[in-house]
């Protein structure tokens, strides 16, 4: 088969000819269209049940409130009589405040429940369309029309959807066809093929990135769905309307077709399909997601099965969005096998969260998923740059993708290529025109001090009075001396090395000598780290230091809101997103470094840096904690201007991160 190069992309000449040919019209199968909507009605009943559960939780919280109020009243009486303990009363009052915060949050969730259901119902319908195609009820062409129909904002509206469901089957079909005639594509259809998604399965930064970006894209009118392996360790309680598609589905691996179960559901308003191998059932029934000797086989099977599922279900996405080495094999699979199977208008975008793990394998293993090893084991394709007898799966994803997004909040494109590419520098240099840098984000619907239901009083850059209230509430909750004029520093750390521990100890000791109040939050799940922190806690015993060992949602939000400064390990924290949240809550993020001195050149000034990197380097990047304290004390007006400017910035998923991806999708669709 002959190939040509177009820019940095390889195209099969045979595939290009087939790509230009039109697909024949598929036979119309409308007889059972009503079942689609009967199943949707069942999902509505499911969602109503979920709402009842939420209402019951709210009622339970209110009952707890009444019991707590009765307890406080009793303690007050005992105190007046001189027999009660003040400490127990203070504790009860703190519990009362946290419970009131919880009730307020539940009330807000109850009020917002209708809006959340709109998107969920939309996705329930989309996933039922997939089921009908696989079971042969409707054709791929009809499915495509109906998907476009659902993407129309007029149909997403819950009232219109419910009204259509009430009609008889014949009237339903007439309405659908009427809407289908008017439906127009208003955004990109993106399918993530990935190995993590928050809150279902989360190992690293990929999980929150997939969910955060997908939700942001959908809020801007794009249709986004996710395909995941069905792990045994997955938290399926987070899936709305989970059900198995009752149809046989087979995918190719190791010379044979193998059966799979397909499950569908909605997670955080995003449609998700789960692939469960039958013959290779052990691939995803393990205690961990990664770290096995057959990881290449596991994720190659999943990648090929995902492509088979997309083709068989009649999907025609604009973009297949793949991630890290685990699904990078989708790139060569797509262009060598699938582009001529109705996906001629689809393009490939690869996300790299780092280049530490690349997956080097023997070339002959490529044949497991149907690829031709001799054709791919070449320097300009999958051959590893250093160990030339092996193939590099991540390199293959870079070569065969139309765009590559490197997710890094702080580093420039040039610095990543030169310093953090782990032997992929030659490949990245050749393909640098298709590399773009995107920052991580955070969920501003959850993390916004102007709407945060966990805070005793909301605030914003336009009205900062609430932040003072939050500081006093935090001091009272942790039994610190309550004074709004005190400087309060919060510290969030996950994994601390011995060097980190010693450095943090020196920084904190210097701060408390200056009368600063310090709150150190333990968020590690590592037992070794927890033991280190216990000994660390003994070294830092002081009336102005508090440790939080069990971090609840309410206290986490209160620490960000009540702190003037947030200490973090670095400005690049994709998992915790501490610097991003700190900026939003009016707390200056200060990175603790091994020297904590004034000469910190943590970023280069090369081209193509993120807006977040530019903002941090201009305001807080080169600042030590001692310098920050000096500025608060000696130049408070300048400090306040920095804080207000930070709060006015938008570093959420909806901002720069989403914009970079939309620009990348737009660019590759023009190829």
């Amino acid at each position: 088969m002959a190939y040509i190069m177009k820019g940095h992309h390889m195209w099969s000449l045979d595939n290009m000819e087939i790509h230009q040919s039109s697909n024949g019209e598929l036979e119309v199968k409308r007889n059972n269209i009503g079942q689609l909507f009967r199943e949707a009605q069942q999902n509505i009943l499911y969602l109503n049940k979920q709402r009842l559960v939420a209402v019951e939780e709210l009622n339970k919280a209110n009952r707890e409130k009444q019991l707590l109020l009765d307890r406080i009243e009793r303690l007050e009486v005992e105190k007046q009589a001189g027999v009660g303990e003040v400490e127990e009363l203070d504790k009860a009052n703190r519990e009362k405040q946290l419970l009131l915060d919880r009730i307020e949050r539940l009330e807000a969730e109850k009020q917002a429940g209708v809006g959340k259901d709109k998107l969920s119902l939309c996705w329930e319908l989309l996933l039922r369309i997939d089921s009908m195609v696989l079971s042969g009820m409707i054709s791929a062409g009809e499915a495509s029309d109906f998907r476009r129909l659902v993407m129309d904002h007029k149909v997403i509206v819950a009232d219109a959807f419910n009204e259509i469901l009430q009609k008889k089957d014949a009237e339903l079909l007439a309405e659908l066809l009427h809407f289908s005639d008017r439906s127009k594509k208003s955004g990109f259809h993106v399918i993530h093929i990935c190995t993590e998604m928050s809150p279902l399965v989360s190992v690293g930064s990929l999980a929150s990135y997939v969910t955060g970006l997908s939700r942001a894209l959908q809020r801007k009118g794009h249709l986004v769905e996710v395909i995941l392996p069905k792990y045994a360790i997955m938290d399926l309680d987070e899936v709305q309307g989970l059900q198995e598609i009752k149809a046989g589905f087979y995918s190719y691996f190791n010379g044979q077709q193998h059966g799979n179960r397909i499950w569908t559901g909605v997670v955080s308003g995003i449609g998700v399909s789960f692939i469960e191998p039958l013959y290779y059932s052990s691939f995803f029934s393990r205690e961990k997601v990664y770290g096995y000797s057959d990881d290449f086989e596991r994720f190659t099977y999943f990648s090929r099965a995902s492509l088979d599922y997309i083709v068989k279900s009649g999907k025609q996405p604009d973009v297949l969005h793949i991630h890290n080495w685990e699904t990078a094999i989708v790139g060569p699979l797509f262009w060598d096998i699938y582009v001529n199977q109705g996906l001629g208008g689809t393009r490939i975008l690869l996300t790299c969260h780092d280049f530490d793990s690349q997956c080097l394998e023997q070339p002959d293993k490529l044949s497991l998923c149907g690829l031709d090893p001799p054709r791919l084991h070449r320097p300009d394709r999958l051959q590893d740059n250093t160990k030339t007898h092996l193939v590099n799966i991540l390199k293959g994803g870079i070569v065969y993708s139309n765009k590559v997004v490197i997710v890094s909040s702080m580093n420039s494109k040039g610095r990543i290529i030169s310093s953090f590419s782990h032997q992929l520098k030659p490949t990245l240099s050749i393909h640098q025109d298709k590399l773009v840098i995107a920052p991580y984000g955070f969920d501003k619907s959850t993390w916004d001090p102007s709407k945060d239901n966990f805070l005793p009083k909301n605030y914003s850059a336009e009205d900062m009075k609430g932040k003072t209230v939050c500081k006093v509430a935090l001091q009272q909750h942790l039994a610190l001396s309550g004074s709004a004029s005190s400087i309060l520093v919060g510290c969030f750390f996950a994994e601390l090395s011995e060097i980190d521990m010693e450095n943090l100890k020196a920084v904190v000791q210097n701060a408390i000598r200056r009368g600063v109040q310090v709150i150190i939050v333990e968020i590690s799940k590592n037992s070794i780290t927890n033991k280190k922190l216990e000994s660390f806690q003994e070294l830092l015993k002081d009336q102005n230091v508090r440790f939080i060992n069990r971090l609840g949602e309410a206290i986490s939000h209160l620490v960000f809101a009540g702190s003037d400064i947030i200490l973090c390990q670095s400005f690049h924290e994709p998992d915790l997103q501490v610097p991003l949240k700190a900026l939003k809550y009016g707390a200056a993020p200060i990175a603790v470094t091994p020297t904590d001195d004034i000469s910190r050149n943590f970023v280069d000034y090369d081209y193509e840096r993120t807006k977040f990197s530019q903002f941090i380097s201009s305001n807080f990047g080169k600042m030590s904690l001692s310098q920050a304290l000096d500025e608060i004390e000696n130049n408070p007006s300048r400090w306040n201007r920095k804080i207000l400017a930070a709060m006015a910035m938008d570093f959420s998923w909806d901002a720069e991160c989403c914009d970079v991806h939309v620009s990348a999708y737009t660019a590759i669709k023009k190829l």
Side-chain angles (χ1 to χ4, degrees), residues 116 198 208 211-213 215-216 219 268 440-449 452 553 557 576-577 580-581 584-585 650-654:
K116 291 181 181 179
S198 177
S208 60
T211 303
L213 175 62
R215 294 184 69 188
R219 282 191 287 267
S268 301
Y440 288 93
F442 70 98
D443 183 1
K444 68 179 181 182
S445 66
T446 303
W447 294 92
D448 182 348
D452 195 331
E553 191 76 7
H557 285 243
L576 306 179
Q577 303 160 343
L580 301 172
K581 297 171 184 174
K584 187 66 178 177
Y585 279 69
D650 186 0
F651 294 120
S652 67
W653 296 115
D654 298 71

Side-chain angles (χ1 to χ4, degrees), residues 360-401:
L360 306 186
E361 282 291 348
Q362 296 294 333
D364 59 356
K365 281 194 172 184
L366 295 174
S367 61
L368 288 172
C369 60
L371 291 171
D372 184 359
R375 191 165 70 243
L376 297 177
H377 187 214
R378 291 172 32 177
D380 61 336
R381 298 187 183 177
L382 270 68
Q383 186 181 58
D384 187 64
N385 297 330
T386 304
K387 300 178 180 179
T388 56
H389 63 292
L390 300 176
V391 289
N392 184 315
I393 306 307
L394 184 59
K395 176 183 174 180
I398 294 168
V399 171
Y400 277 86
S401 293

